[in-house]
Amino acid sequence: MTRVALVTGAGRGLGVEIALQLADQGLHVVLTSRNRDHAQRITDDHAKTGRSLEARQLDVTDQTSVDSCIASVLDSTGRLDVLVNNAGISDGDQQAIEADLVLADQVWQVNVLGAWRCARAVIPAMTSAGYGRIVNVSSTMGSLAWMTSGSEPAYRVSKAGLNAVTRTLAAGLVGTGVLVNSASPGWVRTDLGGPRAPRDVTEGADTPVWLATLPDDGLTGGFFLDRRPLDW
Ligand SMILES: NC(=O)c1ccc[n+]([C@@H]2O[C@H](COP(=O)([O-])OP(=O)(O)OC[C@H]3O[C@@H](n4cnc5c(N)ncnc54)[C@H](OP(=O)(O)O)[C@@H]3O)[C@@H](O)[C@H]2O)c1
């Protein structure tokens, strides 16, 4: 029995590395991207590595795109065991006291509602199978306990919101075999993290992949960095 994982935002950055590490653990991994060609390029690049990878189009803000992607994965594989909600955007260089709320709305649509939408789409298949792992790729910037700066406010607010999605989904899924957790990858060198970040994608992907492959008695409703609990 090969487990099937779906990773959002897997055309570049952390999503690619999360997908590859999951495949290295023997899962069949569906790499999804707004532009399918980006995910296809990754699967082509790794075609000779023995990993089981496929590419599909998925825009987390588009209900039709999400529904059709999940339906086609279930149709072709008959299962969906792992969802990694990795797609994310930031509002970048602005301050909370003068934030562009149109931009804040876009960040909310991707980082919170996008992840929630994907989770809703996979949960019926997971609960009927009695197994599921949902990982929401959050950030220490979403930790209320650590929120002492006003920079990237929409991003911070969205990741705090995403953590609330984790908590509420996990609470609603107790006893179903579906575990839902938030992961912070740390500050990672990607297009979003920038070149000064101290971590590479290998290190950043570790905690999301760990949470995506938790055993049946694994934790749910938690927030983790480097496999250790993080303050909300
Ligand atoms: N890098 C860090 O230091 C860091 C720290 C903490 C948390 N994180 C989180 O880690 C995750 C991955 O970030 P990253 O650093 O790898 O950033 P990245 O290189 O900018 O990649 C972001 C990914 O999200 C995708 N995306 C954006 N909007 C989307 C949408 N509507 N539907 C589907 N996919 C969409 C992008 O796809 P396109 O290629 O189509 O644009 C891209 O693949 C994000 O959730 C981020 O918040 C990163």
Side-chain angles (χ1 to χ4, degrees), residues 8-16 18 32-35 38 58-62 85-90 109-111 137-141 155 159 162 183-194 197 201:
T8 67
R12 61 187 163 98
L14 272 162
V16 174
I18 291 168
T32 67
S33 182
R34 279 188 290 189
N35 182 334
H38 296 171
L58 188 154
D59 180 338
V60 301
T61 64
D62 179 344
N85 277 317
N86 165 78
I89 59 173
S90 174
Q109 293 296 329
V110 175
N111 295 7
V137 181
S138 183
S139 169
T140 52
M141 290 173 75
Y155 184 74
K159 293 300 188 182
L162 179 61
S184 169
W187 186 18
V188 180
R189 288 186 298 281
T190 61
D191 291 346
L192 189 144
V201 289

mmCIF file of all heavy atoms in Angstrom, residues 8-16 18 32-35 38 58-62 85-90 109-111 137-141 155 159 162 183-194 197 201, ligand 1:
data_model
loop_
_atom_site.group_PDB
_atom_site.id
_atom_site.type_symbol
_atom_site.label_atom_id
_atom_site.label_comp_id
_atom_site.label_asym_id
_atom_site.label_seq_id
_atom_site.Cartn_x
_atom_site.Cartn_y
_atom_site.Cartn_z
ATOM 1 N N THR A 8 0.764 21.624 -1.874
ATOM 2 C CA THR A 8 0.417 22.839 -2.627
ATOM 3 C C THR A 8 1.650 23.747 -2.736
ATOM 4 O O THR A 8 2.563 23.695 -1.903
ATOM 5 C CB THR A 8 -0.738 23.612 -1.955
ATOM 6 O OG1 THR A 8 -0.306 24.136 -0.689
ATOM 7 C CG2 THR A 8 -1.962 22.727 -1.762
ATOM 8 N N GLY A 9 1.658 24.555 -3.786
ATOM 9 C CA GLY A 9 2.792 25.474 -3.993
ATOM 10 C C GLY A 9 4.089 24.719 -4.192
ATOM 11 O O GLY A 9 5.139 25.125 -3.684
ATOM 12 N N ALA A 10 4.032 23.637 -4.969
ATOM 13 C CA ALA A 10 5.211 22.764 -5.123
ATOM 14 C C ALA A 10 5.909 22.963 -6.462
ATOM 15 O O ALA A 10 6.545 22.039 -6.971
ATOM 16 C CB ALA A 10 4.817 21.305 -4.927
ATOM 17 N N GLY A 11 5.815 24.179 -6.998
ATOM 18 C CA GLY A 11 6.549 24.483 -8.223
ATOM 19 C C GLY A 11 7.893 25.127 -7.949
ATOM 20 O O GLY A 11 8.735 25.262 -8.829
ATOM 21 N N ARG A 12 8.088 25.540 -6.694
ATOM 22 C CA ARG A 12 9.369 26.146 -6.295
ATOM 23 C C ARG A 12 9.443 26.175 -4.768
ATOM 24 O O ARG A 12 8.455 25.902 -4.080
ATOM 25 C CB ARG A 12 9.524 27.562 -6.870
ATOM 26 C CG ARG A 12 8.461 28.554 -6.418
ATOM 27 C CD ARG A 12 8.607 29.878 -7.171
ATOM 28 N NE ARG A 12 7.419 30.693 -7.083
ATOM 29 C CZ ARG A 12 7.243 31.691 -6.222
ATOM 30 N NH1 ARG A 12 8.196 31.992 -5.364
ATOM 31 N NH2 ARG A 12 6.129 32.381 -6.211
ATOM 32 N N GLY A 13 10.623 26.533 -4.281
ATOM 33 C CA GLY A 13 10.799 26.778 -2.849
ATOM 34 C C GLY A 13 10.609 25.545 -1.978
ATOM 35 O O GLY A 13 10.905 24.409 -2.371
ATOM 36 N N LEU A 14 10.102 25.794 -0.778
ATOM 37 C CA LEU A 14 9.954 24.729 0.215
ATOM 38 C C LEU A 14 9.046 23.599 -0.259
ATOM 39 O O LEU A 14 9.258 22.435 0.106
ATOM 40 C CB LEU A 14 9.370 25.326 1.499
ATOM 41 C CG LEU A 14 10.373 25.875 2.499
ATOM 42 C CD1 LEU A 14 9.677 26.804 3.491
ATOM 43 C CD2 LEU A 14 11.036 24.715 3.250
ATOM 44 N N GLY A 15 8.025 23.939 -1.031
ATOM 45 C CA GLY A 15 7.072 22.919 -1.479
ATOM 46 C C GLY A 15 7.749 21.811 -2.262
ATOM 47 O O GLY A 15 7.399 20.630 -2.128
ATOM 48 N N VAL A 16 8.735 22.178 -3.083
ATOM 49 C CA VAL A 16 9.460 21.174 -3.863
ATOM 50 C C VAL A 16 10.208 20.229 -2.924
ATOM 51 O O VAL A 16 10.135 18.998 -3.047
ATOM 52 C CB VAL A 16 10.462 21.850 -4.834
ATOM 53 C CG1 VAL A 16 11.314 20.805 -5.532
ATOM 54 C CG2 VAL A 16 9.737 22.737 -5.824
ATOM 55 N N ILE A 18 9.722 19.630 0.297
ATOM 56 C CA ILE A 18 8.788 18.813 1.084
ATOM 57 C C ILE A 18 8.317 17.625 0.235
ATOM 58 O O ILE A 18 8.296 16.479 0.703
ATOM 59 C CB ILE A 18 7.589 19.668 1.568
ATOM 60 C CG1 ILE A 18 8.057 20.690 2.615
ATOM 61 C CG2 ILE A 18 6.465 18.788 2.119
ATOM 62 C CD1 ILE A 18 7.028 21.773 2.940
ATOM 63 N N THR A 32 1.629 20.126 -6.765
ATOM 64 C CA THR A 32 0.671 21.008 -7.417
ATOM 65 C C THR A 32 1.218 22.428 -7.461
ATOM 66 O O THR A 32 1.991 22.853 -6.599
ATOM 67 C CB THR A 32 -0.692 21.007 -6.695
ATOM 68 O OG1 THR A 32 -0.554 21.606 -5.404
ATOM 69 C CG2 THR A 32 -1.240 19.591 -6.559
ATOM 70 N N SER A 33 0.772 23.126 -8.518
ATOM 71 C CA SER A 33 1.224 24.493 -8.732
ATOM 72 C C SER A 33 0.131 25.250 -9.480
ATOM 73 O O SER A 33 -0.656 24.621 -10.198
ATOM 74 C CB SER A 33 2.512 24.463 -9.552
ATOM 75 O OG SER A 33 3.004 25.749 -9.746
ATOM 76 N N ARG A 34 0.100 26.577 -9.280
ATOM 77 C CA ARG A 34 -0.881 27.355 -10.045
ATOM 78 C C ARG A 34 -0.669 27.124 -11.530
ATOM 79 O O ARG A 34 -1.616 27.016 -12.291
ATOM 80 C CB ARG A 34 -0.723 28.849 -9.747
ATOM 81 C CG ARG A 34 -1.384 29.261 -8.479
ATOM 82 C CD ARG A 34 -1.358 30.741 -8.333
ATOM 83 N NE ARG A 34 -0.006 31.237 -8.072
ATOM 84 C CZ ARG A 34 0.271 32.474 -7.735
ATOM 85 N NH1 ARG A 34 -0.711 33.346 -7.639
ATOM 86 N NH2 ARG A 34 1.504 32.853 -7.492
ATOM 87 N N ASN A 35 0.592 27.118 -11.940
ATOM 88 C CA ASN A 35 0.952 26.812 -13.329
ATOM 89 C C ASN A 35 1.488 25.375 -13.341
ATOM 90 O O ASN A 35 2.582 25.113 -12.843
ATOM 91 C CB ASN A 35 2.026 27.798 -13.804
ATOM 92 C CG ASN A 35 2.413 27.566 -15.241
ATOM 93 O OD1 ASN A 35 2.286 26.456 -15.758
ATOM 94 N ND2 ASN A 35 2.878 28.614 -15.899
ATOM 95 N N HIS A 38 5.149 24.367 -13.990
ATOM 96 C CA HIS A 38 6.206 24.525 -12.981
ATOM 97 C C HIS A 38 6.389 23.227 -12.197
ATOM 98 O O HIS A 38 7.515 22.784 -11.943
ATOM 99 C CB HIS A 38 5.875 25.684 -12.036
ATOM 100 C CG HIS A 38 5.842 27.015 -12.724
ATOM 101 N ND1 HIS A 38 5.391 28.161 -12.118
ATOM 102 C CD2 HIS A 38 6.203 27.386 -13.984
ATOM 103 C CE1 HIS A 38 5.479 29.176 -12.968
ATOM 104 N NE2 HIS A 38 5.964 28.723 -14.100
ATOM 105 N N LEU A 58 -3.192 23.374 -9.441
ATOM 106 C CA LEU A 58 -4.066 23.691 -8.303
ATOM 107 C C LEU A 58 -3.774 25.114 -7.827
ATOM 108 O O LEU A 58 -2.645 25.443 -7.470
ATOM 109 C CB LEU A 58 -3.859 22.694 -7.160
ATOM 110 C CG LEU A 58 -4.847 22.785 -5.982
ATOM 111 C CD1 LEU A 58 -4.960 21.431 -5.274
ATOM 112 C CD2 LEU A 58 -4.438 23.819 -4.959
ATOM 113 N N ASP A 59 -4.820 25.942 -7.869
ATOM 114 C CA ASP A 59 -4.762 27.289 -7.292
ATOM 115 C C ASP A 59 -5.623 27.249 -6.042
ATOM 116 O O ASP A 59 -6.843 27.028 -6.130
ATOM 117 C CB ASP A 59 -5.302 28.306 -8.311
ATOM 118 C CG ASP A 59 -5.269 29.745 -7.791
ATOM 119 O OD1 ASP A 59 -5.234 29.949 -6.554
ATOM 120 O OD2 ASP A 59 -5.283 30.663 -8.616
ATOM 121 N N VAL A 60 -5.018 27.482 -4.886
ATOM 122 C CA VAL A 60 -5.746 27.306 -3.616
ATOM 123 C C VAL A 60 -6.878 28.315 -3.433
ATOM 124 O O VAL A 60 -7.752 28.107 -2.593
ATOM 125 C CB VAL A 60 -4.795 27.345 -2.395
ATOM 126 C CG1 VAL A 60 -3.740 26.261 -2.486
ATOM 127 C CG2 VAL A 60 -4.176 28.724 -2.206
ATOM 128 N N THR A 61 -6.861 29.396 -4.226
ATOM 129 C CA THR A 61 -7.927 30.407 -4.092
ATOM 130 C C THR A 61 -9.124 30.104 -4.989
ATOM 131 O O THR A 61 -10.106 30.843 -4.960
ATOM 132 C CB THR A 61 -7.402 31.821 -4.436
ATOM 133 O OG1 THR A 61 -7.013 31.843 -5.817
ATOM 134 C CG2 THR A 61 -6.234 32.214 -3.555
ATOM 135 N N ASP A 62 -9.027 29.059 -5.773
ATOM 136 C CA ASP A 62 -10.048 28.759 -6.783
ATOM 137 C C ASP A 62 -10.725 27.427 -6.426
ATOM 138 O O ASP A 62 -10.132 26.363 -6.569
ATOM 139 C CB ASP A 62 -9.342 28.689 -8.151
ATOM 140 C CG ASP A 62 -10.297 28.362 -9.289
ATOM 141 O OD1 ASP A 62 -11.423 27.901 -9.046
ATOM 142 O OD2 ASP A 62 -9.870 28.555 -10.448
ATOM 143 N N ASN A 85 -0.369 21.867 3.199
ATOM 144 C CA ASN A 85 -0.776 23.214 2.784
ATOM 145 C C ASN A 85 0.440 24.123 2.891
ATOM 146 O O ASN A 85 0.690 24.754 3.920
ATOM 147 C CB ASN A 85 -1.901 23.724 3.689
ATOM 148 C CG ASN A 85 -3.258 23.227 3.271
ATOM 149 O OD1 ASN A 85 -3.587 23.217 2.079
ATOM 150 N ND2 ASN A 85 -4.055 22.805 4.239
ATOM 151 N N ASN A 86 1.209 24.144 1.792
ATOM 152 C CA ASN A 86 2.468 24.896 1.780
ATOM 153 C C ASN A 86 2.350 26.233 1.058
ATOM 154 O O ASN A 86 3.106 27.168 1.376
ATOM 155 C CB ASN A 86 3.545 24.028 1.104
ATOM 156 C CG ASN A 86 4.759 24.825 0.714
ATOM 157 O OD1 ASN A 86 5.598 25.157 1.558
ATOM 158 N ND2 ASN A 86 4.868 25.177 -0.566
ATOM 159 N N ALA A 87 1.417 26.363 0.123
ATOM 160 C CA ALA A 87 1.306 27.602 -0.666
ATOM 161 C C ALA A 87 1.142 28.799 0.259
ATOM 162 O O ALA A 87 0.355 28.755 1.205
ATOM 163 C CB ALA A 87 0.120 27.512 -1.615
ATOM 164 N N GLY A 88 1.891 29.848 -0.004
ATOM 165 C CA GLY A 88 1.776 31.022 0.851
ATOM 166 C C GLY A 88 2.378 32.244 0.188
ATOM 167 O O GLY A 88 3.303 32.130 -0.630
ATOM 168 N N ILE A 89 1.838 33.404 0.533
ATOM 169 C CA ILE A 89 2.379 34.672 0.043
ATOM 170 C C ILE A 89 2.487 35.639 1.217
ATOM 171 O O ILE A 89 1.869 35.431 2.274
ATOM 172 C CB ILE A 89 1.504 35.304 -1.073
ATOM 173 C CG1 ILE A 89 0.065 35.566 -0.584
ATOM 174 C CG2 ILE A 89 1.486 34.417 -2.303
ATOM 175 C CD1 ILE A 89 -0.783 36.346 -1.581
ATOM 176 N N SER A 90 3.267 36.692 1.008
ATOM 177 C CA SER A 90 3.440 37.701 2.059
ATOM 178 C C SER A 90 3.094 39.083 1.511
ATOM 179 O O SER A 90 3.140 39.306 0.290
ATOM 180 C CB SER A 90 4.886 37.695 2.553
ATOM 181 O OG SER A 90 5.081 38.761 3.467
ATOM 182 N N GLN A 109 -6.680 35.320 1.567
ATOM 183 C CA GLN A 109 -7.305 34.355 0.650
ATOM 184 C C GLN A 109 -6.396 33.141 0.403
ATOM 185 O O GLN A 109 -6.863 32.010 0.351
ATOM 186 C CB GLN A 109 -7.612 35.029 -0.706
ATOM 187 C CG GLN A 109 -8.680 36.101 -0.648
ATOM 188 C CD GLN A 109 -10.048 35.583 -0.256
ATOM 189 O OE1 GLN A 109 -10.398 34.437 -0.554
ATOM 190 N NE2 GLN A 109 -10.821 36.389 0.431
ATOM 191 N N VAL A 110 -5.100 33.397 0.246
ATOM 192 C CA VAL A 110 -4.170 32.293 -0.040
ATOM 193 C C VAL A 110 -3.822 31.534 1.241
ATOM 194 O O VAL A 110 -3.986 30.313 1.331
ATOM 195 C CB VAL A 110 -2.866 32.821 -0.700
ATOM 196 C CG1 VAL A 110 -1.848 31.678 -0.874
ATOM 197 C CG2 VAL A 110 -3.164 33.486 -2.034
ATOM 198 N N ASN A 111 -3.348 32.284 2.246
ATOM 199 C CA ASN A 111 -2.722 31.631 3.401
ATOM 200 C C ASN A 111 -3.726 30.988 4.355
ATOM 201 O O ASN A 111 -3.398 29.992 5.010
ATOM 202 C CB ASN A 111 -1.874 32.643 4.182
ATOM 203 C CG ASN A 111 -0.689 33.150 3.379
ATOM 204 O OD1 ASN A 111 -0.552 32.855 2.192
ATOM 205 N ND2 ASN A 111 0.168 33.933 4.009
ATOM 206 N N VAL A 137 1.657 24.781 6.681
ATOM 207 C CA VAL A 137 2.975 25.410 6.804
ATOM 208 C C VAL A 137 2.767 26.856 7.256
ATOM 209 O O VAL A 137 2.334 27.719 6.500
ATOM 210 C CB VAL A 137 3.783 25.321 5.497
ATOM 211 C CG1 VAL A 137 5.149 25.977 5.701
ATOM 212 C CG2 VAL A 137 3.951 23.863 5.080
ATOM 213 N N SER A 138 3.028 27.060 8.538
ATOM 214 C CA SER A 138 2.815 28.346 9.191
ATOM 215 C C SER A 138 4.168 29.045 9.351
ATOM 216 O O SER A 138 5.081 28.832 8.536
ATOM 217 C CB SER A 138 2.128 28.096 10.537
ATOM 218 O OG SER A 138 1.831 29.304 11.171
ATOM 219 N N SER A 139 4.291 29.854 10.383
ATOM 220 C CA SER A 139 5.518 30.626 10.560
ATOM 221 C C SER A 139 5.614 31.090 12.004
ATOM 222 O O SER A 139 4.584 31.350 12.652
ATOM 223 C CB SER A 139 5.480 31.854 9.637
ATOM 224 O OG SER A 139 6.515 32.747 9.953
ATOM 225 N N THR A 140 6.825 31.241 12.469
ATOM 226 C CA THR A 140 6.998 31.866 13.787
ATOM 227 C C THR A 140 6.405 33.283 13.764
ATOM 228 O O THR A 140 5.999 33.803 14.806
ATOM 229 C CB THR A 140 8.490 31.968 14.158
ATOM 230 O OG1 THR A 140 9.180 32.589 13.078
ATOM 231 C CG2 THR A 140 9.096 30.610 14.426
ATOM 232 N N MET A 141 6.319 33.892 12.569
ATOM 233 C CA MET A 141 5.732 35.237 12.465
ATOM 234 C C MET A 141 4.234 35.229 12.770
ATOM 235 O O MET A 141 3.634 36.277 12.970
ATOM 236 C CB MET A 141 6.018 35.840 11.087
ATOM 237 C CG MET A 141 7.484 36.197 10.911
ATOM 238 S SD MET A 141 7.894 36.726 9.245
ATOM 239 C CE MET A 141 7.210 38.369 9.226
ATOM 240 N N TYR A 155 0.792 39.064 6.630
ATOM 241 C CA TYR A 155 1.389 37.726 6.703
ATOM 242 C C TYR A 155 1.291 37.204 8.132
ATOM 243 O O TYR A 155 0.885 36.066 8.369
ATOM 244 C CB TYR A 155 2.845 37.817 6.256
ATOM 245 C CG TYR A 155 3.576 36.492 6.196
ATOM 246 C CD1 TYR A 155 3.323 35.583 5.177
ATOM 247 C CD2 TYR A 155 4.540 36.162 7.158
ATOM 248 C CE1 TYR A 155 4.006 34.374 5.111
ATOM 249 C CE2 TYR A 155 5.229 34.963 7.092
ATOM 250 C CZ TYR A 155 4.958 34.073 6.067
ATOM 251 O OH TYR A 155 5.634 32.876 6.009
ATOM 252 N N LYS A 159 -0.959 33.970 9.285
ATOM 253 C CA LYS A 159 -0.393 32.735 9.851
ATOM 254 C C LYS A 159 -0.990 32.451 11.238
ATOM 255 O O LYS A 159 -1.155 31.290 11.610
ATOM 256 C CB LYS A 159 1.134 32.817 9.909
ATOM 257 C CG LYS A 159 1.799 32.833 8.526
ATOM 258 C CD LYS A 159 1.506 31.598 7.682
ATOM 259 C CE LYS A 159 2.341 31.547 6.405
ATOM 260 N NZ LYS A 159 2.044 30.391 5.552
ATOM 261 N N LEU A 162 -4.151 30.920 10.247
ATOM 262 C CA LEU A 162 -3.911 29.542 9.804
ATOM 263 C C LEU A 162 -3.746 28.615 11.010
ATOM 264 O O LEU A 162 -4.240 27.483 11.012
ATOM 265 C CB LEU A 162 -2.665 29.495 8.907
ATOM 266 C CG LEU A 162 -2.261 28.124 8.375
ATOM 267 C CD1 LEU A 162 -3.355 27.507 7.501
ATOM 268 C CD2 LEU A 162 -0.956 28.219 7.577
ATOM 269 N N ALA A 183 3.265 23.747 11.127
ATOM 270 C CA ALA A 183 4.728 23.667 11.181
ATOM 271 C C ALA A 183 5.328 25.004 10.807
ATOM 272 O O ALA A 183 4.885 25.634 9.842
ATOM 273 C CB ALA A 183 5.223 22.618 10.187
ATOM 274 N N SER A 184 6.330 25.427 11.548
ATOM 275 C CA SER A 184 7.170 26.518 11.074
ATOM 276 C C SER A 184 8.452 25.918 10.502
ATOM 277 O O SER A 184 9.092 25.092 11.165
ATOM 278 C CB SER A 184 7.541 27.467 12.222
ATOM 279 O OG SER A 184 8.562 28.346 11.742
ATOM 280 N N PRO A 185 8.832 26.329 9.293
ATOM 281 C CA PRO A 185 10.087 25.805 8.731
ATOM 282 C C PRO A 185 11.314 26.554 9.225
ATOM 283 O O PRO A 185 12.433 26.178 8.906
ATOM 284 C CB PRO A 185 9.897 26.018 7.230
ATOM 285 C CG PRO A 185 9.008 27.222 7.130
ATOM 286 C CD PRO A 185 8.110 27.195 8.343
ATOM 287 N N GLY A 186 11.103 27.637 9.999
ATOM 288 C CA GLY A 186 12.221 28.543 10.295
ATOM 289 C C GLY A 186 12.399 29.506 9.125
ATOM 290 O O GLY A 186 11.590 29.524 8.197
ATOM 291 N N TRP A 187 13.451 30.298 9.196
ATOM 292 C CA TRP A 187 13.717 31.286 8.137
ATOM 293 C C TRP A 187 14.591 30.623 7.075
ATOM 294 O O TRP A 187 15.743 30.261 7.349
ATOM 295 C CB TRP A 187 14.382 32.519 8.745
ATOM 296 C CG TRP A 187 14.561 33.654 7.784
ATOM 297 C CD1 TRP A 187 13.929 33.848 6.595
ATOM 298 C CD2 TRP A 187 15.448 34.764 7.940
ATOM 299 N NE1 TRP A 187 14.350 34.995 5.995
ATOM 300 C CE2 TRP A 187 15.280 35.581 6.798
ATOM 301 C CE3 TRP A 187 16.362 35.146 8.916
ATOM 302 C CZ2 TRP A 187 16.012 36.750 6.622
ATOM 303 C CZ3 TRP A 187 17.088 36.311 8.739
ATOM 304 C CH2 TRP A 187 16.904 37.112 7.597
ATOM 305 N N VAL A 188 14.032 30.464 5.878
ATOM 306 C CA VAL A 188 14.625 29.606 4.855
ATOM 307 C C VAL A 188 14.915 30.401 3.583
ATOM 308 O O VAL A 188 14.098 31.227 3.152
ATOM 309 C CB VAL A 188 13.648 28.445 4.529
ATOM 310 C CG1 VAL A 188 14.244 27.537 3.459
ATOM 311 C CG2 VAL A 188 13.306 27.652 5.783
ATOM 312 N N ARG A 189 16.051 30.071 2.950
ATOM 313 C CA ARG A 189 16.424 30.721 1.683
ATOM 314 C C ARG A 189 15.533 30.231 0.530
ATOM 315 O O ARG A 189 15.725 29.127 0.009
ATOM 316 C CB ARG A 189 17.899 30.431 1.349
ATOM 317 C CG ARG A 189 18.885 31.155 2.228
ATOM 318 C CD ARG A 189 20.319 30.956 1.763
ATOM 319 N NE ARG A 189 20.757 29.565 1.792
ATOM 320 C CZ ARG A 189 21.144 28.920 2.894
ATOM 321 N NH1 ARG A 189 21.143 29.522 4.069
ATOM 322 N NH2 ARG A 189 21.544 27.660 2.819
ATOM 323 N N THR A 190 14.532 31.053 0.203
ATOM 324 C CA THR A 190 13.642 30.811 -0.945
ATOM 325 C C THR A 190 13.323 32.188 -1.524
ATOM 326 O O THR A 190 13.794 33.206 -1.002
ATOM 327 C CB THR A 190 12.311 30.166 -0.490
ATOM 328 O OG1 THR A 190 11.659 31.068 0.413
ATOM 329 C CG2 THR A 190 12.519 28.823 0.193
ATOM 330 N N ASP A 191 12.465 32.236 -2.537
ATOM 331 C CA ASP A 191 12.043 33.543 -3.061
ATOM 332 C C ASP A 191 11.398 34.358 -1.949
ATOM 333 O O ASP A 191 11.610 35.569 -1.853
ATOM 334 C CB ASP A 191 11.041 33.360 -4.211
ATOM 335 C CG ASP A 191 11.699 32.764 -5.442
ATOM 336 O OD1 ASP A 191 12.950 32.735 -5.500
ATOM 337 O OD2 ASP A 191 10.967 32.315 -6.339
ATOM 338 N N LEU A 192 10.604 33.697 -1.087
ATOM 339 C CA LEU A 192 9.926 34.410 0.001
ATOM 340 C C LEU A 192 10.889 34.754 1.137
ATOM 341 O O LEU A 192 10.870 35.863 1.665
ATOM 342 C CB LEU A 192 8.752 33.550 0.513
ATOM 343 C CG LEU A 192 7.809 34.213 1.507
ATOM 344 C CD1 LEU A 192 6.372 33.741 1.264
ATOM 345 C CD2 LEU A 192 8.192 33.897 2.938
ATOM 346 N N GLY A 193 11.716 33.818 1.510
ATOM 347 C CA GLY A 193 12.623 34.025 2.643
ATOM 348 C C GLY A 193 13.805 34.923 2.322
ATOM 349 O O GLY A 193 14.354 35.569 3.216
ATOM 350 N N GLY A 194 14.199 34.956 1.041
ATOM 351 C CA GLY A 194 15.317 35.802 0.623
ATOM 352 C C GLY A 194 16.668 35.141 0.847
ATOM 353 O O GLY A 194 16.771 34.112 1.531
ATOM 354 N N ALA A 197 18.509 34.394 4.560
ATOM 355 C CA ALA A 197 17.968 33.429 5.529
ATOM 356 C C ALA A 197 19.032 32.385 5.884
ATOM 357 O O ALA A 197 19.789 31.949 5.024
ATOM 358 C CB ALA A 197 16.736 32.751 4.955
ATOM 359 N N VAL A 201 16.521 24.731 2.225
ATOM 360 C CA VAL A 201 15.199 24.094 2.150
ATOM 361 C C VAL A 201 15.189 22.705 2.798
ATOM 362 O O VAL A 201 14.156 22.270 3.304
ATOM 363 C CB VAL A 201 14.679 24.010 0.697
ATOM 364 C CG1 VAL A 201 14.284 25.371 0.175
ATOM 365 C CG2 VAL A 201 15.675 23.331 -0.218
HETATM 366 N N1 LIG B 1 10.956 30.918 3.401
HETATM 367 C C1 LIG B 1 10.767 31.186 4.694
HETATM 368 O O1 LIG B 1 11.653 31.730 5.394
HETATM 369 C C2 LIG B 1 9.475 30.805 5.360
HETATM 370 C C3 LIG B 1 9.376 30.997 6.747
HETATM 371 C C4 LIG B 1 8.206 30.639 7.399
HETATM 372 C C5 LIG B 1 7.154 30.098 6.662
HETATM 373 N N2 LIG B 1 7.269 29.930 5.310
HETATM 374 C C6 LIG B 1 6.127 29.381 4.582
HETATM 375 O O2 LIG B 1 6.530 28.319 3.765
HETATM 376 C C7 LIG B 1 5.640 28.213 2.645
HETATM 377 C C8 LIG B 1 6.444 28.131 1.367
HETATM 378 O O3 LIG B 1 7.169 29.348 1.249
HETATM 379 P P1 LIG B 1 8.493 29.502 0.363
HETATM 380 O O4 LIG B 1 9.494 30.135 1.227
HETATM 381 O O5 LIG B 1 8.810 28.245 -0.354
HETATM 382 O O6 LIG B 1 7.972 30.622 -0.662
HETATM 383 P P2 LIG B 1 8.042 30.756 -2.254
HETATM 384 O O7 LIG B 1 9.327 30.246 -2.768
HETATM 385 O O8 LIG B 1 7.645 32.173 -2.528
HETATM 386 O O9 LIG B 1 6.892 29.768 -2.743
HETATM 387 C C9 LIG B 1 5.558 30.033 -2.477
HETATM 388 C C10 LIG B 1 4.722 29.023 -3.221
HETATM 389 O O10 LIG B 1 3.330 29.312 -2.992
HETATM 390 C C11 LIG B 1 2.664 29.217 -4.223
HETATM 391 N N3 LIG B 1 1.418 29.956 -4.291
HETATM 392 C C12 LIG B 1 1.209 31.281 -4.088
HETATM 393 N N4 LIG B 1 -0.092 31.567 -4.297
HETATM 394 C C13 LIG B 1 -0.705 30.408 -4.624
HETATM 395 C C14 LIG B 1 -2.029 30.035 -4.937
HETATM 396 N N5 LIG B 1 -3.028 30.941 -5.001
HETATM 397 N N6 LIG B 1 -2.304 28.736 -5.194
HETATM 398 C C15 LIG B 1 -1.326 27.808 -5.172
HETATM 399 N N7 LIG B 1 -0.048 28.097 -4.900
HETATM 400 C C16 LIG B 1 0.256 29.382 -4.622
HETATM 401 C C17 LIG B 1 3.681 29.738 -5.235
HETATM 402 O O11 LIG B 1 3.293 29.329 -6.504
HETATM 403 P P3 LIG B 1 3.680 30.179 -7.844
HETATM 404 O O12 LIG B 1 4.996 29.591 -8.275
HETATM 405 O O13 LIG B 1 2.541 29.868 -8.776
HETATM 406 O O14 LIG B 1 3.763 31.630 -7.467
HETATM 407 C C18 LIG B 1 4.945 29.075 -4.737
HETATM 408 O O15 LIG B 1 5.048 27.765 -5.210
HETATM 409 C C19 LIG B 1 4.712 29.433 2.712
HETATM 410 O O16 LIG B 1 3.488 29.083 3.312
HETATM 411 C C20 LIG B 1 5.475 30.377 3.641
HETATM 412 O O17 LIG B 1 4.636 31.277 4.314
HETATM 413 C C21 LIG B 1 8.406 30.271 4.638
#
